[in-house]
Amino acid sequence: MSANTMERLVYMANQIGKFFEPQGHEKSVKGVAKHIKDFWDPRMRARMEDHIAAGGEGLTPAVFEALKTLPPVSRDTIPAPHPTLNPPGPTAHHH
């Protein structure tokens, strides 16, 4: 995973935190956790778990706390990435 991808996930998590921030700390933590649990792909959550285990650099304190409340992702159910055999674009063959 590239650092750029992790930066994007941190940015997205912090944006969710900003949305819930006006509701106060406790509601913010619960709101962030629920949103990420309900809407983030397991691969995204697994990457964030690894980031938190490495210190969680860049995450706001409320977002860090929210992410720590989530149950671990079952990594054996995450599908492996598959390369696209026929990527779209000018080299794509249309039948």
Side-chain angles (χ1 to χ4, degrees), residues 46-91:
R47 288 177 179 162
M48 191 56 79
E49 286 175 5
D50 294 343
H51 184 65
I52 288 170
E57 182 180 342
L59 293 169
T60 65
V63 171
F64 185 86
E65 184 178 336
L67 292 167
K68 296 278 285 181
T69 68
L70 294 175
V73 173
S74 178
R75 295 179 184 234
D76 58 340
T77 62
I78 297 174
H82 298 328
T84 304
L85 297 177
N86 295 311
T91 60

Side-chain angles (χ1 to χ4, degrees), residues 1-79:
M1 174 189 54
S2 74
N4 206 15
T5 301
M6 195 67 250
E7 288 173 15
R8 184 73 183 149
L9 290 177
V10 167
Y11 173 80
M12 289 169 42
N14 286 336
Q15 287 298 107
I16 295 165
K18 282 184 182 180
F19 174 81
F20 286 103
E21 198 174 84
Q23 298 180 20
H25 182 77
E26 187 176 329
K27 286 185 178 180
S28 176
V29 168
K30 288 180 181 178
V32 169
K34 180 172 178 15
H35 181 90
I36 288 176
K37 182 176 182 269
D38 291 349
F39 296 107
W40 278 31
D41 180 281
R43 289 170 287 207
M44 295 165 66
R45 288 192 45 211
R47 288 177 179 162
M48 191 56 79
E49 286 175 5
D50 294 343
H51 184 65
I52 288 170
E57 182 180 342
L59 293 169
T60 65
V63 171
F64 185 86
E65 184 178 336
L67 292 167
K68 296 278 285 181
T69 68
L70 294 175
V73 173
S74 178
R75 295 179 184 234
D76 58 340
T77 62
I78 297 174

Side-chain angles (χ1 to χ4, degrees), residues 86 92-95:
N86 295 311
H93 299 284
H94 297 284
H95 300 207

